[in-house]
PDB file of all heavy atoms in Angstrom:
ATOM      1  N   LEU A 255      86.308  37.008  31.132  1.00  0.00           N
ATOM      2  CA  LEU A 255      86.289  36.304  32.472  1.00  0.00           C
ATOM      3  C   LEU A 255      87.204  35.202  32.616  1.00  0.00           C
ATOM      4  O   LEU A 255      87.331  34.802  33.899  1.00  0.00           O
ATOM      5  CB  LEU A 255      84.726  35.899  32.740  1.00  0.00           C
ATOM      6  CG  LEU A 255      83.674  36.837  32.787  1.00  0.00           C
ATOM      7  CD1 LEU A 255      82.288  36.227  32.977  1.00  0.00           C
ATOM      8  CD2 LEU A 255      83.994  37.690  33.945  1.00  0.00           C
ATOM      9  N   ARG A 258      89.377  34.643  35.825  1.00  0.00           N
ATOM     10  CA  ARG A 258      88.783  35.525  37.019  1.00  0.00           C
ATOM     11  C   ARG A 258      87.923  34.478  37.806  1.00  0.00           C
ATOM     12  O   ARG A 258      87.554  33.390  37.293  1.00  0.00           O
ATOM     13  CB  ARG A 258      88.153  36.640  36.340  1.00  0.00           C
ATOM     14  CG  ARG A 258      89.052  37.692  35.594  1.00  0.00           C
ATOM     15  CD  ARG A 258      88.270  38.832  35.173  1.00  0.00           C
ATOM     16  NE  ARG A 258      87.721  39.603  36.181  1.00  0.00           N
ATOM     17  CZ  ARG A 258      86.908  40.655  36.065  1.00  0.00           C
ATOM     18  NH1 ARG A 258      86.421  40.903  34.910  1.00  0.00           N
ATOM     19  NH2 ARG A 258      86.395  41.337  37.104  1.00  0.00           N
ATOM     20  N   CYS A 261      82.548  33.625  40.597  1.00  0.00           N
ATOM     21  CA  CYS A 261      81.440  34.456  41.200  1.00  0.00           C
ATOM     22  C   CYS A 261      81.719  35.868  41.270  1.00  0.00           C
ATOM     23  O   CYS A 261      81.342  36.572  42.123  1.00  0.00           O
ATOM     24  CB  CYS A 261      81.346  33.832  42.534  1.00  0.00           C
ATOM     25  SG  CYS A 261      80.811  32.088  42.752  1.00  0.00           S
ATOM     26  N   MET A 262      82.317  36.471  40.212  1.00  0.00           N
ATOM     27  CA  MET A 262      82.719  37.890  40.165  1.00  0.00           C
ATOM     28  C   MET A 262      81.484  38.462  39.563  1.00  0.00           C
ATOM     29  O   MET A 262      81.144  38.349  38.373  1.00  0.00           O
ATOM     30  CB  MET A 262      83.951  38.089  39.341  1.00  0.00           C
ATOM     31  CG  MET A 262      84.261  39.554  39.311  1.00  0.00           C
ATOM     32  SD  MET A 262      84.874  40.205  40.902  1.00  0.00           S
ATOM     33  CE  MET A 262      86.498  39.160  41.088  1.00  0.00           C
ATOM     34  N   LEU A 263      80.601  39.251  40.421  1.00  0.00           N
ATOM     35  CA  LEU A 263      79.412  39.926  39.869  1.00  0.00           C
ATOM     36  C   LEU A 263      79.672  41.373  40.106  1.00  0.00           C
ATOM     37  O   LEU A 263      79.713  41.866  41.339  1.00  0.00           O
ATOM     38  CB  LEU A 263      78.162  39.471  40.769  1.00  0.00           C
ATOM     39  CG  LEU A 263      76.866  39.899  40.315  1.00  0.00           C
ATOM     40  CD1 LEU A 263      76.553  39.525  38.850  1.00  0.00           C
ATOM     41  CD2 LEU A 263      75.818  39.434  41.290  1.00  0.00           C
ATOM     42  N   ARG A 264      79.623  42.114  38.972  1.00  0.00           N
ATOM     43  CA  ARG A 264      79.831  43.607  39.057  1.00  0.00           C
ATOM     44  C   ARG A 264      80.953  43.987  39.818  1.00  0.00           C
ATOM     45  O   ARG A 264      80.964  44.794  40.694  1.00  0.00           O
ATOM     46  CB  ARG A 264      78.552  44.337  39.431  1.00  0.00           C
ATOM     47  CG  ARG A 264      77.344  44.070  38.609  1.00  0.00           C
ATOM     48  CD  ARG A 264      76.109  44.660  39.229  1.00  0.00           C
ATOM     49  NE  ARG A 264      74.930  44.569  38.352  1.00  0.00           N
ATOM     50  CZ  ARG A 264      73.630  45.026  38.652  1.00  0.00           C
ATOM     51  NH1 ARG A 264      73.465  45.404  39.826  1.00  0.00           N
ATOM     52  NH2 ARG A 264      72.733  44.820  37.770  1.00  0.00           N
ATOM     53  N   ASN A 265      82.132  43.342  39.441  1.00  0.00           N
ATOM     54  CA  ASN A 265      83.479  43.635  39.910  1.00  0.00           C
ATOM     55  C   ASN A 265      83.515  43.339  41.458  1.00  0.00           C
ATOM     56  O   ASN A 265      84.443  43.799  42.015  1.00  0.00           O
ATOM     57  CB  ASN A 265      83.915  45.087  39.749  1.00  0.00           C
ATOM     58  CG  ASN A 265      84.028  45.223  38.157  1.00  0.00           C
ATOM     59  OD1 ASN A 265      84.486  44.384  37.372  1.00  0.00           O
ATOM     60  ND2 ASN A 265      83.559  46.528  37.808  1.00  0.00           N
ATOM     61  N   THR A 266      82.587  42.590  42.031  1.00  0.00           N
ATOM     62  CA  THR A 266      82.670  42.187  43.474  1.00  0.00           C
ATOM     63  C   THR A 266      82.512  40.666  43.565  1.00  0.00           C
ATOM     64  O   THR A 266      81.662  40.131  42.929  1.00  0.00           O
ATOM     65  CB  THR A 266      81.377  42.940  44.195  1.00  0.00           C
ATOM     66  OG1 THR A 266      81.609  44.263  44.013  1.00  0.00           O
ATOM     67  CG2 THR A 266      81.451  42.387  45.612  1.00  0.00           C
ATOM     68  N   GLU A 267      83.342  40.154  44.329  1.00  0.00           N
ATOM     69  CA  GLU A 267      83.358  38.519  44.377  1.00  0.00           C
ATOM     70  C   GLU A 267      82.558  38.180  45.500  1.00  0.00           C
ATOM     71  O   GLU A 267      82.733  38.704  46.781  1.00  0.00           O
ATOM     72  CB  GLU A 267      84.861  38.116  44.520  1.00  0.00           C
ATOM     73  CG  GLU A 267      84.863  36.604  44.569  1.00  0.00           C
ATOM     74  CD  GLU A 267      86.337  36.107  44.530  1.00  0.00           C
ATOM     75  OE1 GLU A 267      87.124  36.584  45.380  1.00  0.00           O
ATOM     76  OE2 GLU A 267      86.655  35.129  43.867  1.00  0.00           O
ATOM     77  N   ASP A 268      81.533  37.276  45.235  1.00  0.00           N
ATOM     78  CA  ASP A 268      80.816  36.733  46.323  1.00  0.00           C
ATOM     79  C   ASP A 268      81.440  35.453  46.889  1.00  0.00           C
ATOM     80  O   ASP A 268      81.303  34.476  46.235  1.00  0.00           O
ATOM     81  CB  ASP A 268      79.382  36.504  45.851  1.00  0.00           C
ATOM     82  CG  ASP A 268      78.399  36.014  46.820  1.00  0.00           C
ATOM     83  OD1 ASP A 268      78.799  35.436  47.928  1.00  0.00           O
ATOM     84  OD2 ASP A 268      77.069  36.044  46.563  1.00  0.00           O
ATOM     85  N   HIS A 292      73.095  37.951  36.560  1.00  0.00           N
ATOM     86  CA  HIS A 292      72.371  38.717  35.428  1.00  0.00           C
ATOM     87  C   HIS A 292      72.410  37.960  34.115  1.00  0.00           C
ATOM     88  O   HIS A 292      73.237  37.084  33.870  1.00  0.00           O
ATOM     89  CB  HIS A 292      73.280  40.001  35.320  1.00  0.00           C
ATOM     90  CG  HIS A 292      74.656  39.896  35.036  1.00  0.00           C
ATOM     91  ND1 HIS A 292      75.038  39.485  33.710  1.00  0.00           N
ATOM     92  CD2 HIS A 292      75.788  39.920  35.779  1.00  0.00           C
ATOM     93  CE1 HIS A 292      76.440  39.343  33.795  1.00  0.00           C
ATOM     94  NE2 HIS A 292      76.806  39.555  34.926  1.00  0.00           N
TER      95      HIS A 292
END
Side-chain angles (χ1 to χ4, degrees):
L255 293 176
R258 301 178 64 187
C261 299
M262 186 68 68
L263 185 62
R264 293 178 177 172
N265 298 321
T266 302
E267 185 176 42
D268 188 338
H292 59 79

